[in-house]
Amino acid sequence: TLGNGIRAAAKEVLLDESRGVRTIAVLIRNWAPPTENETAAYALAVARALGIGAEEPISFRANLPALLAAIFRQENGRHPLGGDWIADADIYAAVALA
């Protein structure tokens, strides 16, 4: 289900944070290696969606719904169910379980 996918992504982000990852740039390099992706542009788009620089340290846990929304928008181009990720209760419910 969509909720399980969101929960899995949340758990991966939090695992990276527990391993010391603190910036969007490093997180995205781990998820989308430059050998396969436009990693710098991806990281910049996600960081801009959060209103920060890609190399600026942040708490992933404190920003998890917005961070996941930005990643999913970058991956899919839109919310898979339509509408606004941040207003969608599914992302909050799934993140709460992570």
Side-chain angles (χ1 to χ4, degrees):
T1 69
L2 177 61
N4 287 339
I6 296 168
R7 181 174 177 265
K11 289 178 79 78
E12 287 297 318
V13 168
L14 296 176
L15 180 62
D16 277 355
E17 185 172 51
S18 76
R19 293 177 173 160
V21 176
R22 297 287 182 262
T23 68
I24 300 296
V26 174
L27 177 72
I28 298 304
R29 269 195 305 270
N30 291 346
W31 280 47
T35 56
E36 301 171 12
N37 300 276
E38 295 285 339
T39 304
Y42 186 153
L44 185 59
V46 171
R48 281 185 178 157
L50 295 173
I52 63 169
E55 298 288 345
E56 185 178 331
I58 66 163
S59 165
F60 295 154
R61 180 171 293 282
N63 293 282
L64 198 53
L67 175 58
L68 291 177
I71 289 170
F72 295 150
R73 278 191 194 107
Q74 186 65 25
E75 289 285 337
N76 298 305
R78 63 178 182 82
H79 185 306
L81 299 178
D84 183 8
W85 269 109
I86 304 307
D88 187 346
D90 287 341
I91 198 165
Y92 290 102
V95 166
L97 296 172

